[in-house]
Amino acid sequence: MELNKYVLLLGADQYLRERAISGARQVTNFPIWTASLNAKINKNRYFDYNLEADPKDEKGLMIAINNQKQNGWFPEAIIPLNDWTLKVAHKLNNKLGLNYMPDGVIDSCRDKAKMKFKFLDNSVPTPDFRLIENEAELLISLEEIGYPAIIKPYDFGGSGGVYLLSNKQDAIENYRKSKNVIRKHGNDFGIDGSKFIVEKYIRSEEEISIEVACYKDNFKVIAVTEKYLTPEPRFAEIGHLVPSHRSNNKSLKEIAINACKSLNISMGLAHVEIKIKDNKFWVIEVGARPGGDGIMDIVERVFKINPYKVHVASYLNIDPFEFLPTHLESIGTAAIAFLKSEPGIIRDIQIPDTLPKEVESLWVHAKIGDYSEEATCWKDREGVIELYWDKMFEYKTKEPLVLSEFLSQQIFSVEKVVKNYV
């Protein structure tokens, strides 16, 4: 029986990654499928078909794929779009004889300790770090590294479980908090969370991310993005802006590309996060997948190319450098910022009748009666705004934060109460 082919996107149904479908459509005529639990009940109609499986569950996906093989369908490529689906897609592509990266690449991109050792072996600048498994190792590591430091789960993402350590007392307290984050979210995202990274804190508000196109031995920086975080001691991402005023910094681009080379990333987009202090660059981590939080959308808005097209093409063994322009010229500046109410119970939500001219879209996903947590990671958001200016900024503008705070204050009415966690 001749099998019909399809492209399986894992994670494209996640909020702010929907444009992956458009990117895939631009590079292939194969039907675009996804996977989700309860696909028949909560059918996602953007896709041509929905496999009835958890996109993070290798066994469940294999069963669903084999069931569809009996119906005459077989994947041409299985493409991961977030951290949680990287290992699953890699294993399935390997077992099914599809295109995949060398063994060990995905492990190095999901295990922050392995990643940082690769950086050190290849002279990629990264903060001093230790891998720890218990409180005793934590305290020994801090004696060696010194304060301030950062603690984070070795295989999580999205700023989850990331805390600042300023002294011995809050080191112990925040280590326990980080472990609680794993207990809360570990099963949902299929992470181990038994070990933690302790690294020297680079105290600076200057942080960027760089999107790098990778295919075999070729690499190209597509965009440099300014990143906005909550103030210390929390590090939740609250906004992104493209293009950065640092976009023409050759040293910065070289470091990002060398970080990808050190991990042997040979397919798709890589998301490189870098801290900057005193004109020195420090690679924090690299994800072997497109950047999240709608970064791909704002890159597309200003550069007129859908970055997901690059990612999908490489998994289909199509050279993306054949359609990537030599030079990407921005037509303006775009940003995405997240709405955040004051902590407490949301008692009312009022969308303004008029919005600032820079606002391209606004979406509130919080509901009346929700409890708004303090911002610690991507989970603690109430909505999002997309912004656009028909000009470039020669500095790191505060406008995305000003506008998101202004609208958040207008939209949310909150009763400030202490949440009972018992």
Side-chain angles (χ1 to χ4, degrees):
M1 178 175 65
E2 184 176 352
L3 296 172
N4 298 302
K5 297 298 183 71
Y6 62 93
V7 172
L8 179 59
L9 300 182
L10 298 182
D13 54 339
Q14 181 184 352
Y15 176 53
L16 294 178
R17 294 185 189 268
E18 304 93 339
R19 292 291 296 166
I21 308 169
S22 174
R25 285 283 189 220
Q26 292 175 36
V27 79
T28 181
N29 291 321
F30 292 128
I32 310 300
W33 291 19
T34 191
S36 58
L37 286 174
N38 301 318
K40 291 183 179 180
I41 297 172
N42 299 304
K43 186 176 181 179
N44 191 326
R45 298 181 186 277
Y46 291 110
F47 294 90
D48 296 309
Y49 192 79
N50 299 264
L51 289 178
E52 187 87 15
D54 184 338
K56 304 182 295 297
D57 177 11
E58 179 191 349
K59 291 182 180 178
L61 279 168
M62 184 63 85
I63 290 170
I65 289 169
N66 285 333
N67 286 341
Q68 289 303 317
K69 186 176 180 180
Q70 301 302 314
N71 295 327
W73 290 96
F74 191 76
E76 180 72 7
I78 300 172
I79 305 173
L81 294 166
N82 56 30
D83 284 330
W84 330 121
T85 57
L86 276 173
K87 286 187 177 181
V88 171
H90 173 74
K91 291 177 180 178
L92 290 174
N93 282 327
N94 190 350
K95 289 179 179 180
L96 297 172
L98 307 178
N99 200 20
Y100 67 97
M101 281 187 278
D103 292 338
V105 174
I106 301 303
D107 279 342
S108 296
C109 292
R110 292 297 300 125
D111 183 324
K112 293 179 172 63
K114 291 181 179 179
M115 178 188 299
K116 287 177 176 291
F117 282 120
K118 293 280 189 181
F119 292 163
L120 294 178
D121 290 342
N122 292 274
S123 300
V124 175
T126 194
D128 192 12
F129 71 96
R130 301 290 186 277
L131 181 66
I132 64 115
E133 295 188 52
N134 54 55
E135 189 175 295
E137 292 179 356
L138 166 71
L139 297 179
I140 292 171
S141 296
L142 288 168
E143 287 179 4
E144 297 171 347
I145 292 174
Y147 296 98
I150 294 291
I151 190 166
K152 63 179 78 170
Y154 84 109
D155 61 346
F156 204 23
S159 301
V162 180
Y163 291 95
L164 177 65
L165 312 179
S166 298
N167 53 56
K168 181 177 178 180
Q169 180 179 344
D170 69 26
I172 294 171
E173 180 182 344
N174 287 334
Y175 173 48
R176 292 171 181 169
K177 286 182 180 179
S178 192
K179 289 199 294 184
N180 286 336
V181 170
I182 297 301
R183 279 192 284 268
K184 184 177 180 180
H185 299 299
N187 288 336
D188 292 340
F189 294 98
I191 60 173
D192 173 59
S194 62
K195 297 184 284 291
F196 296 79
I197 292 288
V198 178
E199 71 179 28
K200 185 67 178 176
Y201 177 43
I202 308 300
R203 178 163 270 141
S204 171
E205 293 184 2
E206 302 304 308
E207 184 167 342
I208 60 163
S209 60
I210 300 183
E211 311 307 321
V212 182
C214 312
Y215 185 69
K216 297 183 178 178
D217 295 323
N218 293 320
F219 302 86
K220 180 181 178 60
V221 169
I222 292 181
V224 181
T225 303
E226 288 293 325
K227 187 184 297 289
Y228 299 89
L229 306 176
T230 52
E232 293 181 13
R234 297 177 177 85
F235 304 98
E237 296 179 0
I238 53 176
H240 308 274
L241 179 141
V242 175
S244 164
H245 61 284
R246 314 172 211 268
S247 293
N248 294 321
N249 189 311
K250 291 183 179 179
S251 297
L252 195 58
K253 292 181 179 181
E254 286 175 1
I255 287 174
I257 288 173
N258 287 338
C260 296
K261 288 181 178 179
S262 75
L263 298 170
N264 294 318
I265 301 174
S266 57
M267 284 167 46
L269 290 176
H271 180 70
V272 185
E273 296 186 345
I274 298 177
K275 290 277 282 189
I276 303 170
K277 184 177 182 180
D278 300 330
N279 293 318
K280 293 182 179 179
F281 307 129
W282 305 90
V283 178
I284 304 302
E285 57 190 60
V286 177
R289 43 75 182 172
D293 276 358
I295 293 174
M296 300 298 95
D297 297 9
I298 58 177
V299 169
E300 182 178 11
R301 183 181 296 276
V302 298
F303 290 117
K304 296 301 181 184
I305 183 169
N306 185 316
Y308 291 111
K309 181 180 179 182
V310 173
H311 192 66
V312 171
S314 66
Y315 273 83
L316 290 168
N317 210 21
I318 298 170
D319 187 349
F321 293 98
E322 292 184 359
F323 56 77
L324 261 177
T326 303
H327 179 69
L328 292 167
E329 190 71 39
S330 173
I331 62 168
T333 301
I336 192 161
F338 298 98
L339 300 175
K340 190 79 198 83
S341 76
E342 294 293 325
I345 298 175
I346 298 174
R347 294 303 187 193
D348 194 18
I349 297 174
Q350 294 290 335
I351 306 298
D353 292 331
T354 59
L355 296 171
K357 65 180 185 303
E358 296 88 357
V359 177
E360 291 285 327
S361 70
L362 179 152
W363 187 65
V364 174
H365 55 74
K367 302 181 293 297
I368 293 173
D370 284 353
Y371 186 89
S372 173
E373 305 274 3
E374 293 218 18
T376 59
C377 67
W378 85 101
K379 288 277 190 178
D380 307 321
R381 299 164 173 171
E382 278 73 62
V384 61
I385 52 172
E386 292 179 284
L387 307 164
Y388 178 76
W389 299 264
D390 59 357
K391 64 178 182 180
M392 311 297 181
F393 291 94
E394 297 180 357
Y395 55 93
K396 186 174 183 177
T397 177
K398 298 288 187 182
E399 287 197 41
L401 303 187
V402 171
L403 287 165
S404 62
E405 182 177 355
F406 169 73
L407 288 169
S408 294
Q409 290 175 351
Q410 284 190 299
I411 292 169
F412 303 108
S413 296
V414 175
E415 178 185 355
K416 295 184 179 181
V417 297
V418 178
K419 187 174 182 180
N420 183 5
Y421 290 94
V422 178

